Amino acid sequence: FLLQESDQSKMNLYDHLCDVLNSVLESKTPNAVDVIEDISKQIKEAKYRAAHDPSALHDTAETSEEVVLAKLQNKLFDKPVEEAEPEPEEEVEMPLPDLMDIANYFEQAGIGLGREETFRIFLALKKLVDTHTLQTVRFWGKIYGTEKNYIVAEVEYREGEEEEEGEQEGEEEEEVKDDDDEEKEEQEDLTPKPDWKPPPEIPKEENGTGCNKKTYFVCNEPGSEWVKLPPVEPKEIVLARQIKKFFTGNLDAPVISYPPFSGTERNYLRAQIARISAATCISPLDYYKFEEDDEDDSDGEGRDSFIPNVEFEPLRNIELIDPSLSNWVHHVQYILPQGRCVWVNPSQKHDSEDYEEEEEEEEREEPDEPVPEHGPPLLNPISEDAEVDGMPAWSASLTSSLVPQYAAAVLRSNLWPGAQVFGIDRKFENIYVGWGHKYTADNYSPTAPPPTQEEYPSGAEITEVPDPTVDEVRALQAAEAEQREREAEEAEMDEEEDEED
């Protein structure tokens, strides 16, 4: 093995080790163990400098993560070669706001990610706009992870565009369901099945409504590929309220928790984004208004849409930081304990149910009708938010107390640390930079497991008894034999008496 010749250097390990040891013994190098690598390199250079390329002896530097990230983000600064100047008549409204201008106000309040990172995120959002047909785009914020972070973009598709993508995803889901049904049919057997059925599953809200009103894209670093998060389901929000997990930065990572979370980290991330948006997205009073023909529904679901108020008059800074917090309102719908913004009756039968199941349900006793859930209406003042451990839900301040005339109002959420909003004149913007966890006064304690299920009632018919001995079996058999003989004799005597009569 040591005599095998290398294809590159045309030498073997045995000869090279001999040369190295001879050099050490001849020069009697002190601390040779510390410089043996240098001696080996010098011998190679002396032997093959003339016959080989000296560059082949250079150390191969490993590509660091910083270099890989720099090469990835360098593409954000590349300008398309065939980009033509748009004519004034064909100009289209840019769905992406000026993120650098928005970041300037947050920077005044000591909030943000730094100008360099913000500009790279700005270019990454522009790339997202160029690759998708979007109506609006907003930098939602950044969620920290233990390995990588998430940069979140909140978008709205143009009419009809999201439906096409949804149809493609729906077709894939149907194919998977069909395959699962076929496998279940093959595995069906005649074993008895329990009568218990799980509670009905709460249907998710359609795209463009409720918790799925907006669509979200995430990436780990500016320049990396944007990944679209799936629509959130009610059960995911309900479970997300019961657990507390740090994000890893890997969308496909499992969420190991109790109660068990149904889905991967991408589903947990989407649920947390929905919760944070519902609780912290606020706007100045009267900035939005309801449409005149939009009336409250008779079912009590309330209004779910609004339009910008053209006649909005900006509030003064002193009014925006009023301790009463009556000049700010929530413009995202409240999420009910059911996990939806609009309550649905889980016991209501759907047309898709089989008639056999309906007949079985009719035979059983009808459960009590669930109580409808209600929450705060849309555009509800934040002054009605519940206190957080004796503190108000929001803390208001100015970006500068020295020049308050040119300062912006800044509000920070005490319920979701990391959620902030600024307001000045007709501008306002929300952002979240944090770990994606809700504030809790006490240390987090996981949900206790349910109590152990009770055993079946123990009776004489199922109580185990010790096995009888051989003598006891023989005695029992003898007693049974005597009993049979006695019964036979009695039967014969009865027959004789009947004949005499």
Side-chain angles (χ1 to χ4, degrees):
F1 173 75
L2 297 177
L3 295 175
Q4 292 180 357
E5 191 177 69
S6 173
D7 297 334
Q8 297 180 357
S9 61
K10 302 300 181 183
M11 66 180 295
N12 57 68
L13 181 61
Y14 179 81
D15 294 337
H16 181 65
L17 291 176
C18 290
D19 295 338
V20 172
L21 292 176
N22 287 334
S23 176
V24 173
L25 294 174
E26 290 176 358
S27 60
K28 296 182 179 180
T29 306
N31 299 326
V33 67
D34 298 329
V35 295
I36 191 170
E37 292 85 359
D38 298 334
I39 297 174
S40 174
K41 186 175 181 180
Q42 291 173 2
I43 292 175
K44 286 185 178 180
E45 289 179 349
K47 279 190 174 183
Y48 299 99
R49 186 182 299 276
H52 296 272
D53 184 10
S55 62
L57 300 174
H58 293 173
D59 294 332
T60 304
E62 297 183 359
T63 305
S64 62
E65 296 181 359
E66 290 78 6
V67 175
V68 175
L69 181 60
K71 291 180 179 179
L72 181 66
Q73 295 181 349
N74 189 37
K75 299 178 182 178
L76 296 174
F77 297 87
D78 295 339
K79 187 176 180 180
V81 180
E82 301 178 357
E83 183 178 359
E85 296 183 358
E87 299 180 1
E89 298 178 356
E90 299 179 356
E91 288 185 357
V92 181
E93 183 180 356
M94 182 66 172
L96 180 63
D98 188 357
L99 184 59
M100 300 307 297
D101 180 51
I102 295 172
N104 181 42
Y105 290 102
F106 282 118
E107 185 179 0
Q108 296 178 27
I111 305 166
L113 307 173
R115 294 187 180 183
E116 293 184 1
E117 184 176 3
T118 302
F119 187 69
R120 291 194 293 267
I121 294 175
F122 190 23
L123 296 179
L125 292 175
K126 183 179 179 297
K127 182 180 178 181
L128 178 64
V129 173
D130 296 338
T131 54
H132 295 78
T133 53
L134 304 176
Q135 184 69 27
T136 59
V137 180
R138 185 177 77 89
F139 176 50
W140 186 88
K142 183 176 183 179
I143 295 181
Y144 298 125
T146 56
E147 300 175 7
K148 298 178 182 179
N149 303 324
Y150 289 116
I151 297 172
V152 186
E154 181 184 87
V155 306
E156 276 187 306
Y157 282 89
R158 294 180 184 175
E159 294 183 2
E161 297 295 336
E162 188 176 13
E163 295 178 358
E164 296 178 359
E165 294 187 5
E167 290 177 359
Q168 296 177 359
E169 295 176 357
E171 292 176 358
E172 295 177 357
E173 292 179 357
E174 289 180 359
E175 293 178 358
V176 174
K177 288 181 180 179
D178 293 340
D179 296 339
D180 294 341
D181 294 339
E182 292 178 359
E183 293 178 359
K184 288 180 180 179
E185 291 178 358
E186 294 177 358
Q187 297 176 356
E188 282 184 356
D189 52 13
L190 300 178
T191 56
K193 298 180 179 180
D195 296 334
W196 180 85
K197 289 186 177 181
E201 185 175 354
I202 306 299
K204 69 178 181 180
E205 294 175 300
E206 299 294 333
N207 293 340
T209 61
C211 298
N212 295 317
K213 188 176 182 63
K214 305 285 186 178
T215 306
Y216 295 90
F217 286 83
V218 297
C219 66
N220 296 120
E221 292 288 347
S224 59
E225 183 180 359
W226 287 100
V227 179
K228 180 182 177 182
L229 296 181
V232 66
E233 297 186 4
K235 62 181 180 180
E236 296 170 353
I237 294 179
V238 173
L239 291 173
R241 286 169 169 164
Q242 303 176 32
I243 64 176
K244 192 171 186 178
K245 295 283 291 184
F246 281 103
F247 294 98
T248 62
N250 180 13
L251 292 174
D252 297 325
V255 180
I256 303 174
S257 64
Y258 184 83
F261 186 82
S262 58
T264 58
E265 187 166 295
R266 71 178 64 232
N267 304 103
Y268 180 53
L269 176 62
R270 180 64 182 86
Q272 291 297 91
I273 290 175
R275 296 178 61 200
I276 295 172
S277 299
T280 64
C281 286
I282 61 177
S283 56
L285 182 66
D286 294 334
Y287 187 89
Y288 294 111
K289 69 173 185 178
F290 296 112
E291 297 182 9
E292 296 179 357
D293 57 347
D294 186 11
E295 298 179 356
D296 289 341
D297 298 335
S298 58
D299 295 338
E301 297 177 353
R303 299 168 174 173
D304 59 354
S305 62
F306 48 80
I307 58 175
N309 185 9
V310 182
E311 301 176 355
F312 170 70
E313 295 183 0
L315 301 174
R316 296 179 301 166
N317 291 344
I318 193 65
E319 295 176 339
L320 293 176
I321 63 170
D322 185 8
S324 65
L325 302 176
S326 59
N327 292 320
W328 292 86
V329 297
H330 292 278
H331 59 262
V332 175
Q333 285 181 280
Y334 175 81
I335 301 179
L336 302 172
Q338 191 183 50
R340 290 171 51 99
C341 294
V342 180
W343 186 81
V344 295
N345 189 351
S347 62
Q348 185 177 1
K349 298 179 181 179
H350 301 279
D351 297 336
S352 59
E353 293 182 355
D354 298 332
Y355 292 102
E356 296 179 358
E357 295 180 357
E358 292 180 357
E359 291 178 357
E360 292 178 358
E361 291 179 358
E362 288 178 358
E363 294 177 358
R364 302 174 187 172
E365 296 182 359
E366 295 184 359
D368 297 336
E369 191 71 15
V371 180
E373 298 174 356
H374 300 282
L378 198 59
L379 302 184
N380 189 56
I382 65 173
S383 58
E384 299 182 9
D385 292 359
E387 291 186 353
V388 181
D389 193 24
M391 300 182 297
W394 295 85
S395 298
S397 62
L398 292 175
T399 56
S400 174
S401 59
L402 300 177
V403 191
Q405 295 82 359
Y406 300 99
V410 178
L411 272 72
R412 293 176 172 83
S413 175
N414 295 323
L415 183 62
W416 290 93
Q420 298 99 1
V421 58
F422 83 87
I424 180 172
D425 197 21
R426 293 181 178 273
K427 293 182 179 179
F428 80 94
E429 188 60 53
N430 295 267
I431 193 173
Y432 179 84
V433 181
W435 291 94
H437 290 165
K438 191 176 181 179
Y439 172 82
T440 53
D442 302 326
N443 293 333
Y444 172 74
S445 298
T447 306
T452 306
Q453 188 176 6
E454 296 182 358
E455 294 285 347
Y456 49 82
S458 179
E461 66 277 3
I462 59 174
T463 302
E464 294 185 1
V465 295
D467 295 336
T469 61
V470 178
D471 296 338
E472 292 176 348
V473 172
R474 290 177 179 175
L476 178 62
Q477 292 176 349
E480 292 177 349
E482 292 179 0
Q483 180 67 20
R484 287 194 296 271
E485 291 178 359
R486 191 180 303 107
E487 292 177 354
E489 292 177 358
E490 292 178 355
E492 290 178 358
M493 293 176 62
D494 293 339
E495 290 178 358
E496 291 178 358
E497 291 178 357
D498 293 339
E499 289 178 356
E500 292 177 358
D501 295 340

